[in-house]
Amino acid sequence: MAGCSIINTASVVTFEGNNNLIYYIATKGANIGVIRALMRNHVTKGVSVNAIYPGKIWLPLIPSNFSANQVPLTINPIERQGQSFKVAQNCHNIL
């Protein structure tokens, strides 16, 4: 088990809040609690436990939870939406 890694994705919206994403925020908040508990439980076993907060990522829940005028054209400073497959690629490259 030593040398293994557990990586979970969290969300910045957990800290910002949003009226339209209550259930999403609740599950991401629970993920943060689980990661913290796993970290404390596995630290002595040499297991790396981390959560990443990739920022605002384009997900299917965005257009399904917001009207067209609520969805921003750009949701991050580099003027393009983050993509979930890129987050997965970067996590894979880290390991």
Side-chain angles (χ1 to χ4, degrees), residues 39-56:
M39 177 197 61
R40 291 179 183 273
N41 187 277
H42 292 301
V43 68
T44 59
K45 300 172 186 169
V47 176
S48 172
V49 181
N50 294 285
I52 60 168
Y53 298 79
K56 295 181 179 177

Side-chain angles (χ1 to χ4, degrees), residues 1-16:
M1 197 172 212
C4 292
S5 296
I6 298 171
I7 301 174
N8 197 344
T9 54
S11 176
V12 296
V13 76
T14 304
F15 303 106
E16 296 171 356

